[in-house]
């Protein structure tokens, strides 16, 4: 049923159009959740589990490489610029890395790098592991945390048959919003009718996590004009990692 606030021409348009509306679907994000500004300005910390990409390689040119770049390449969902990192030897988890007597790089810019040829007479790195701390507007815990953004509106729809309303994920990021590039889910609504489901509006609109929101005037039947839409996105950061 159409909402009583909709004008008669909108009721008629709804009956005339054979729309196929693409509704939000859940998509597991591959990119990272960036820290997103909130109205209260508060940011929370999330530590990953300890990550170990395997035993150190042997030989003078070998060692243990648990760099941020390599960890992400291995499929771990961590941020590319951690707020902090912690490193430890798997054999000695209770010791600080400074107590181990090895020449090891361990910082947020690089991650962990240990080269065998820098380890004095032993010439062999311990088996190291690392965990990283990322910023996200949610509480710190071992569970997956999902955060909905505020409603985002990049402006009024453009006019003309080639115009419309483009609130795509790509455009939103280009406009400077700090959202993930592959949201877990999205929600869309018309600014004029915030209490209505998008399926009740009678317009042919793309609204999904892969694209974001796209409305083209030339697909809106007799009216040939998109409503002014806005979108919010759901980004997730998991603190549980699988090796």
């Amino acid at each position: 049923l159409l909402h009583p606030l909709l004008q008669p021409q909108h009721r008629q348009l709804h009956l005339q159009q054979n729309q196929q509306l693409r509704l939000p679907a859940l998509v597991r994000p591959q990119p990272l959740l960036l820290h997103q500004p909130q109205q209260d300005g508060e940011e929370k910390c999330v530590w990953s589990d300890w990550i170990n990409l395997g035993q150190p390689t042997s030989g003078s040119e070998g060692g243990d490489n648990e760099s941020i770049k390599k960890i992400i390449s291995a499929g771990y969902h961590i941020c590319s610029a951690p707020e902090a990192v912690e490193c430890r030897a798997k054999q000695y988890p209770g010791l600080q890395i400074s107590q181990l007597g090895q020449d090891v790089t361990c910082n947020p810019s690089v991650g962990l790098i240990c080269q065998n040829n820098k380890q004095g007479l032993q010439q062999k790195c311990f088996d190291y592991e690392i965990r990283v701390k990322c910023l996200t507007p949610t509480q710190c815990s071992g569970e997956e945390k999902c955060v909905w953004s505020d409603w985002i509106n990049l402006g009024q729809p453009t006019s003309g048959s080639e115009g419309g309303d483009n609130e795509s994920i790509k455009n939103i990021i280009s406009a400077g919003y700090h959202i993930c590039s592959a949201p877990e889910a999205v929600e869309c609504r018309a600014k004029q009718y915030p209490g209505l489901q998008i399926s009740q509006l009678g317009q042919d609109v793309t609204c999904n996590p892969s694209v974001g929101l796209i409305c083209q005037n030339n697909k809106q039947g007799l009216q040939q004009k998109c409503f002014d839409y806005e979108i919010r996105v759901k980004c997730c950061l998991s603190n549980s990692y699988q090796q």
Side-chain angles (χ1 to χ4, degrees):
L1 294 178
L2 288 175
H3 195 276
L5 291 177
L6 288 179
Q7 300 299 319
Q9 62 267 33
H10 296 159
R11 296 173 182 269
Q12 182 181 4
L13 180 61
H14 178 77
L15 296 175
Q16 290 174 343
Q17 288 183 315
N18 180 20
Q19 60 156 347
Q20 291 184 341
L21 187 66
R22 284 164 281 185
L23 296 175
L26 293 180
V27 176
R28 181 66 55 182
Q30 293 305 315
L32 312 161
L33 175 62
L34 303 180
H35 65 282
Q36 174 185 342
Q38 298 293 296
Q39 290 182 348
D40 61 7
E42 187 178 6
E43 291 176 316
K44 303 293 183 180
C45 60
V46 175
W47 279 100
S48 73
D49 287 338
W50 288 99
I51 299 169
N52 190 327
L53 298 181
Q55 295 284 329
T57 55
S58 58
S60 61
E61 298 303 314
D64 200 2
N65 185 333
E66 311 281 342
S67 67
I68 302 301
K69 182 178 179 180
K70 190 173 179 181
I71 290 169
I72 292 172
S73 296
Y76 288 83
H77 300 294
I78 63 168
C79 53
S80 56
E83 179 75 4
V85 298
E86 289 184 358
C87 305
R88 70 183 185 186
K90 184 178 180 181
Q91 301 96 313
Y92 309 106
L95 296 182
Q96 297 292 321
I97 197 168
S98 58
Q99 298 175 286
L100 298 174
Q102 292 207 323
D103 184 353
V104 178
T105 297
C106 174
N107 61 52
S109 300
V110 177
L112 181 135
I113 301 286
C114 180
Q115 296 172 281
N116 290 339
N117 58 19
K118 291 185 177 180
Q119 307 316 319
L121 294 177
Q122 188 183 21
Q123 293 284 289
K124 185 178 181 181
C125 291
F126 295 137
D127 184 8
Y128 287 97
E129 47 194 16
I130 185 173
R131 65 175 188 159
V132 304
K133 183 170 82 168
C134 296
L135 290 179
T136 179
T138 186
Q139 297 297 327
C140 298
S141 77
E143 300 176 358
E144 183 177 64
K145 293 298 179 180
C146 297
V147 180
W148 281 100
S149 71
D150 290 335
W151 288 100
I152 298 169
N153 190 325
L154 298 182
Q156 295 284 329
T158 55
S159 58
S161 61
E162 298 303 313
D165 200 2
N166 187 331
E167 310 281 342
S168 67
I169 302 301
K170 182 178 178 181
N171 274 11
I172 291 169
I173 292 174
S174 296
Y177 287 83
H178 298 292
I179 63 168
C180 53
S181 57
E184 181 81 1
V186 299
E187 289 184 358
C188 306
R189 70 183 185 186
K191 185 178 179 181
Q192 301 97 313
Y193 310 107
L196 295 184
Q197 296 292 322
I198 196 169
S199 58
Q200 297 176 286
L201 298 174
Q203 292 206 325
D204 184 353
V205 179
T206 297
C207 175
N208 62 50
S210 300
V211 176
L213 180 134
I214 301 286
C215 180
Q216 296 173 279
N217 290 339
N218 58 18
K219 291 185 178 181
Q220 308 317 319
L222 295 176
Q223 188 185 21
Q224 292 284 289
K225 184 178 181 182
C226 292
F227 295 138
D228 184 9
Y229 287 97
E230 48 193 16
I231 186 174
R232 65 175 189 156
V233 304
K234 180 181 176 184
C235 295
C236 295
L237 180 63
S238 176
N239 198 19
S240 296
Y241 299 86
Q242 300 297 324
Q243 294 194 38

